[in-house]
Amino acid sequence: MLLCVAMIGSITISSCSKDFLEKPKGGAVTTDTIFHTVRQANYAIAQMYNLCIKGYFPGNDPGNSRPETITDQVYIIHPAYSWAAATINTGTYVTGNMSANGTIDPSFSAHYRGIRQANLVYQNVAMVSDGDEAWKQDVRGQALFCRAMQHYELFRYYGGVPIVSIPLDGTANLRIPRSSVAAVVDSIVSWCDQAANLLPPQRPSTDYGKITRLAALALKSRVLLYAASPKYNTPADMKGIVSAARFNDARDSVLCYPTYDKERWNRAALAAKDVLTNAGQAGVSLYNTGKPLTTGGDNYAMLGDYESVYNVYANQELILVNTETQAPATAGAFEWDRYMSSKLRLNSWGVKNNVPIDFMQLYEKRDGSKFTFAPSGEDLPVYVQSLDLDPRFYQTIAYDGMYYNSQRGQLAYYKAGDGFTAGSLSSSDAGPDGYAFEVYKFVARINNFDDAHFAWPVFRLAEFYLNYAEAINEYSGANGEADQYLNLIRSRAGMPEKHPGGGAAFREAIQLERTIELAYEGHRYNDLNRWLTAHTVLNKQFRGIATTAKRVNNQLKRSWEIVPFINRIYPIRYYYVPFPLNEISKNYLGDGKTWDGQNPGW
C-alpha cells in the first residue's frame, strides 16, 4: 500500500489554516530538511497525496455522508439526519437554501493547501541528495498531476478560479484573480500532458495507489469532456437554460467559453481514445469474465462482474484508487462504509441511505425496456425479482426481503403490522419509516463482512469507454464506433445492445448508461450539472417505497406503498457554486474595482 496514515499525519509543512496564501509559520521543519533525503521527501509526497487525491467521502473523512445525498441517488431523512451530511450542507442544498457561507464544497481553502503542497514538492524535489534523476522526474510527474487534480476539483464547482503554479509564500501582498474557464482548462490539460511524459505506465504492487501515466491521461480526458459539455460549451439553443446563472457580459469568461465550438468535443474524444489506447501498456482492461449475474452466496466466486469491480481489490479495471480506506481503522472512529453510507452494515444504528423511486426507475429491465413501480402491492421481494431488472440494480441496491449474506440473512426494513414486530432496519432516530431500498455499493457484504478490500476508484476504465462514446456522438453523430463502446459496457453488465438512430437518441442512451454504470461513484453531481439537466432532475418531489409487515396465510409478507420523501428545489444559480464570503471580502477574485469575483446570484 502506498500511503499510511501515520506517514500522512506526521508532517505539517503546509498548515495554511487561515488563508491559502499564508506563509507557514515557524518551526524547525524547513524545505531543506524535508527535501534532504528520499526518506524525508516521502513524507511530503504522502502529504501531497492526502491533500490532493481524495477518497469517496466529502473532505476525505469517513465520518461524512455519501456525496450523492445532494443528487437524486440518495435521500437521507431531512431534517432529522441533515447533520450527517453537514460537511456538504445537504440540508440547505436540497431545499434550495445553499448560501455562500455553507456550500457543497467541504473546504475552498483545502484545495489550495493541496495545490501548495504539490507545488512545494515539484519545486524542491531537485534538492533530494540521494534521489536519482529518474526518481525525481517521477515525483515531478506526480506533483503536476496533483496540482492539476485540485484545479479540476475547483473548476467543477466554481468555473474559472485563480491558477496557482508556484508555492505561494505570503511574503508579498499577492492578488490572484479568477482566470477564465479556457485558461483553467488549458492549464490542467498542459499539466496532465507534462505529467504523462514523466510518469511510468505501471507500478509494482508495493506502490499500488501511486499515480501513473494512464492516470494523467484519464484526468485530461475527464476535464476535456466536461469542458466540451453544455455548461461550459453552451450551444445556442441551450443558452436560455442557464442565462439566469450568468452575467451575460464579458465576465462570463470565468463561467463558460464565449461561443460554442464543436471541435471541443473532438478534443474530448481524442483524449478519451488516448486512455483506451494506452490502457493495455498500463495493464488495465475491463473486468469481464463473462459473468453478469451475482448468483448468491458470500464469497468472491459468486459475484457478478459489475459487483466484482468494486469488491476485488486492485482489479485490472482500476486506473487510480485512493488507498486510504485500506488503513487500519481507528478504534471508535467512523470507519469506511459502516455508519454513514449504510444502515444495513451494522444492522442497528446508522444513517439509512434511501434510494428514491425516481432514480431506481432509471434502471431498465433486463430486456432493455423501461419500467414503472407499481404504487402498492403485497410481496415486495417477489415483485422486485419479477421485474427482472438490469443486473447492476441487484448488485447496487438492497431491498426489503433481499438475501444479503449468511450473517444478515433476509433484510428486514418493514414496519410493524398484523402482529409482527418491526424489522431491524425499519426505523431511525426519527422514528419508524419502513423505507425499503438502500444503497449497498461499497458496503461490506462478502467474506465475513470484510471492509478491507474496498479502495475508492478515482478513475476506472469503464468511464473512458463512455467518455469516448459521448464525445464521438456530439462531434460526428451516432455511428458504429460510438455504439461499440456503449455496448461493450452494456454487454459486460448482461444488457442487450443499443443502436440509437440519431445524435439526440444516442445522447439520451449514453447519459443513461453513465448514470447506471457509474452510480454511487461520485459522478452524478458533475454529470447533471455539465449536461444542464440538474434543474429538471432535482426540482421535484422525491418519493420512496415503504413496507409494512402483513400476515398472509400466517406468513410474513412485505406490503408496500409509495411515500413522499422530500420536495427538492434546485435554483438555476446552483449551476455555479458561490465562493466563500471570507474570500470575496479580500477582493482579489474579481477586477478589484467594480466586481468582487463572486458568481452570479450570490
Side-chain angles (χ1 to χ4, degrees):
M1 188 176 80
L2 169 65
L3 305 177
C4 69
V5 171
M7 187 182 214
I8 292 170
S10 63
I11 182 169
T12 56
I13 66 173
S14 60
S15 59
C16 298
S17 60
K18 296 181 181 177
D19 189 333
F20 75 84
L21 301 180
E22 182 181 5
K23 182 178 180 179
K25 302 295 193 297
V29 177
T30 67
T31 54
D32 290 339
T33 58
I34 289 299
F35 294 99
H36 179 60
T37 66
V38 169
R39 179 181 175 83
Q40 286 296 107
N42 277 334
Y43 287 101
I45 295 166
Q47 177 74 337
M48 175 179 74
Y49 272 76
N50 185 48
L51 291 170
C52 294
I53 301 179
K54 300 298 186 181
Y56 181 42
F57 297 100
N60 226 31
D61 178 2
N64 292 324
S65 66
R66 288 178 181 263
E68 288 85 12
T69 57
I70 62 172
T71 74
D72 58 339
Q73 294 182 326
V74 171
Y75 168 67
I76 60 174
I77 297 174
H78 176 79
Y81 274 93
S82 292
W83 63 266
T87 301
I88 53 175
N89 293 288
T90 294
T92 52
Y93 184 84
V94 299
T95 55
N97 295 309
M98 179 172 68
S99 71
N101 281 331
T103 77
I104 57 173
D105 182 2
S107 173
F108 175 80
S109 62
H111 300 294
Y112 284 100
R113 289 198 293 274
I115 290 167
R116 185 179 192 280
Q117 186 72 9
N119 290 336
L120 280 168
V121 170
Y122 182 84
Q123 178 174 286
N124 293 294
V125 69
M127 298 192 303
V128 178
S129 60
D130 59 344
D132 61 26
E133 189 56 30
W135 178 83
K136 292 176 182 178
Q137 291 290 75
D138 185 355
V139 172
R140 288 189 185 101
Q142 295 171 60
L144 284 165
F145 175 93
C146 286
R147 178 201 294 168
M149 189 72 180
Q150 281 306 302
H151 278 85
Y152 150 74
E153 291 285 353
L154 287 158
F155 163 70
R156 72 185 182 92
Y157 285 128
Y158 303 99
V161 293
I163 297 172
V164 180
S165 57
I166 58 173
L168 302 172
D169 64 8
T171 57
N173 184 22
L174 295 166
R175 298 173 62 86
I176 303 178
R178 297 177 67 178
S179 290
S180 67
V181 161
V184 172
V185 170
D186 289 348
S187 294
I188 295 171
V189 168
S190 175
W191 297 329
C192 288
D193 286 339
Q194 294 174 58
N197 289 330
L198 296 171
L199 293 164
Q202 293 191 46
R203 301 280 186 186
S205 59
T206 52
D207 282 343
Y208 186 63
K210 270 191 177 180
I211 301 155
T212 61
R213 182 172 189 270
L214 194 64
L217 298 177
L219 178 56
K220 175 182 175 180
S221 169
R222 185 183 289 178
V223 168
L224 286 175
L225 184 80
Y226 287 14
S229 299
K231 177 178 173 180
Y232 307 104
N233 185 35
T234 315
D237 62 352
M238 297 185 75
K239 286 187 176 180
I241 294 173
V242 74
S243 63
R246 301 256 175 90
F247 295 109
N248 299 301
D249 60 31
R251 292 172 294 176
D252 280 351
S253 67
V254 300
L255 304 174
C256 59
Y257 291 99
T259 58
Y260 173 79
D261 185 354
K262 189 162 75 170
E263 189 60 30
R264 294 190 183 101
W265 285 110
N266 189 36
R267 288 186 72 197
L270 292 172
K273 190 60 178 288
D274 210 12
V275 174
L276 304 180
T277 301
N278 284 275
Q281 184 187 24
V284 173
S285 62
L286 280 187
Y287 190 105
N288 190 353
T289 70
K291 188 175 185 295
L293 302 180
T294 289
T295 54
D298 301 358
N299 56 60
Y300 288 101
M302 301 296 183
L303 297 180
D305 287 340
Y306 182 74
E307 194 171 357
S308 292
V309 169
Y310 66 88
N311 274 284
V312 177
Y313 187 70
N315 71 76
Q316 70 265 26
E317 187 164 327
L318 304 176
I319 296 172
L320 179 66
V321 303
N322 180 299
T323 60
E324 185 183 15
T325 54
Q326 292 297 109
T330 303
F334 280 170
E335 300 169 24
W336 168 262
D337 87 78
R338 289 199 170 194
Y339 298 95
M340 306 301 249
S341 65
S342 75
K343 186 177 177 68
L344 67 85
R345 174 60 181 84
L346 294 183
N347 204 37
S348 57
W349 189 90
V351 178
K352 195 190 296 187
N353 283 241
N354 306 292
V355 186
I357 286 177
D358 313 78
F359 182 73
M360 290 191 287
Q361 289 180 161
L362 296 177
Y363 285 84
E364 297 170 333
K365 300 185 75 169
R366 186 80 185 273
D367 62 7
S369 62
K370 297 183 181 298
F371 84 101
T372 301
F373 264 101
S376 61
E378 300 300 321
D379 195 338
L380 181 71
V382 169
Y383 173 70
V384 172
Q385 286 296 322
S386 72
L387 289 171
D388 195 20
L389 300 175
D390 184 327
R392 291 172 291 190
F393 178 95
Y394 302 107
Q395 295 171 50
T396 302
I397 297 172
Y399 55 91
D400 196 7
M402 167 185 168
Y403 175 84
Y404 194 70
N405 60 19
S406 56
Q407 292 98 325
R408 194 68 77 238
Q410 281 189 300
L411 299 178
Y413 287 97
Y414 52 82
K415 293 183 291 186
D418 281 357
F420 291 103
T421 59
S424 60
L425 300 170
S426 68
S427 64
S428 68
D429 295 349
D433 53 66
Y435 296 159
F437 290 83
E438 185 175 13
V439 187
Y440 81 93
K441 192 173 184 178
F442 298 111
V443 176
R445 185 178 74 80
I446 61 170
N447 199 24
N448 296 315
F449 271 126
D450 178 26
D451 296 287
H453 60 275
F454 291 123
W456 175 245
V458 180
F459 301 116
R460 65 178 176 98
L461 190 61
E463 175 188 346
F464 302 94
Y465 279 57
L466 299 173
N467 286 7
Y468 187 51
E470 180 179 353
I472 287 176
N473 177 64
E474 296 297 340
Y475 182 63
S476 57
N479 57 43
E481 193 173 21
D483 283 1
Q484 175 191 354
Y485 283 95
L486 167 67
N487 289 320
L488 283 168
I489 299 301
R490 289 180 63 80
S491 175
R492 189 261 296 274
M495 292 296 288
E497 290 190 354
K498 281 186 177 181
H499 300 280
F506 192 92
R507 182 183 303 123
E508 180 180 350
I510 196 67
Q511 289 184 2
L512 177 61
E513 197 62 28
R514 282 185 68 93
T515 299
I516 301 306
E517 175 67 23
L518 303 177
Y520 306 101
E521 295 184 32
H523 292 271
R524 185 62 168 162
Y525 169 83
N526 299 331
D527 284 345
L528 289 175
N529 277 270
R530 70 182 178 87
W531 292 330
L532 294 183
T533 56
H535 67 287
T536 56
V537 173
L538 303 179
N539 247 338
K540 62 176 68 172
Q541 184 186 72
F542 283 6
R543 303 164 302 151
I545 296 283
T547 51
T548 302
K550 186 177 180 63
R551 191 177 298 273
V552 178
N553 296 326
N554 211 34
Q555 298 292 315
L556 169 67
K557 299 295 181 182
R558 294 158 165 87
S559 65
W560 81 88
E561 61 179 340
I562 294 176
V563 295
F565 274 169
I566 188 173
N567 292 321
R568 287 289 302 269
I569 299 173
Y570 186 98
I572 291 296
R573 65 178 183 167
Y574 270 21
Y575 276 114
Y576 298 95
V577 173
F579 290 85
L581 292 182
N582 67 316
E583 299 297 332
I584 292 297
S585 68
K586 298 169 189 173
N587 202 27
Y588 67 87
L589 290 168
D591 59 16
K593 298 176 183 177
T594 59
W595 175 46
D596 59 14
Q598 183 61 284
N599 278 328
W602 301 101

